[in-house]
Amino acid sequence: MNASDFDPRLHQQMGELLAEVRNLRDAFRQSEIKSDNSRSQMHGRLDLLVDRVGKVEGTVSAVQEDISEMRPVTDDVRRWKLMGLGALGIVGIGASALTFIITKFGASAAGWFVGK
């Protein structure tokens, strides 16, 4: 046997290499565990997001149905408002004309009624 076969430095270096490999393996295992936890949390968040989006879609469809039911009523109310404004305009013009007639011819009509 050769003296280099039992070199203590070689055994020490081999031990250090084995220790480093074990440390790397442990670090890699811990990294995998952290990654698994992170992915699990992300999947949970995505599931919650899918649920929330589903609820929003349901609410939007209900709101759209309500809007389609309200639209004819709103159109009728607008039409009534325009008709009311038109009627008020006509009444205003008529009242103005009546006021003009009463102020212009009221004194002579009152004298005619009293004189008779």
Side-chain angles (χ1 to χ4, degrees):
M1 282 211 186
N2 204 343
S4 64
D5 289 341
F6 295 109
D7 189 7
R9 287 181 300 163
L10 182 65
H11 289 291
Q12 180 185 1
Q13 290 173 349
M14 288 292 286
E16 289 175 1
L17 282 175
L18 285 173
E20 285 298 319
V21 167
R22 286 183 186 133
N23 288 339
L24 287 173
R25 190 174 18 177
D26 290 341
F28 183 71
R29 190 174 302 134
Q30 288 175 356
S31 176
E32 282 183 2
I33 290 170
K34 286 181 183 178
S35 296
D36 289 343
N37 289 337
S38 176
R39 279 191 294 273
S40 173
Q41 289 175 352
M42 187 174 14
H43 285 294
R45 289 178 187 158
L46 283 175
D47 290 341
L48 288 174
L49 186 61
V50 166
D51 290 341
R52 290 177 67 189
V53 168
K55 289 177 184 176
V56 168
E57 285 177 347
T59 303
V60 166
S61 66
V63 168
Q64 285 177 342
E65 289 175 12
D66 289 346
I67 288 173
S68 65
E69 291 175 4
M70 286 186 246
R71 189 168 302 272
V73 174
T74 305
D75 292 342
D76 286 344
V77 169
R78 283 183 184 159
R79 186 172 50 89
W80 295 340
K81 180 181 174 184
L82 291 175
M83 288 170 49
L85 289 174
L88 279 175
I90 290 173
V91 168
I93 291 171
S96 176
L98 183 62
T99 304
F100 172 74
I101 290 172
I102 290 173
T103 55
K104 182 75 173 170
F105 302 110
S108 23
W112 184 71
F113 280 122
V114 172
K116 261 192 169 185

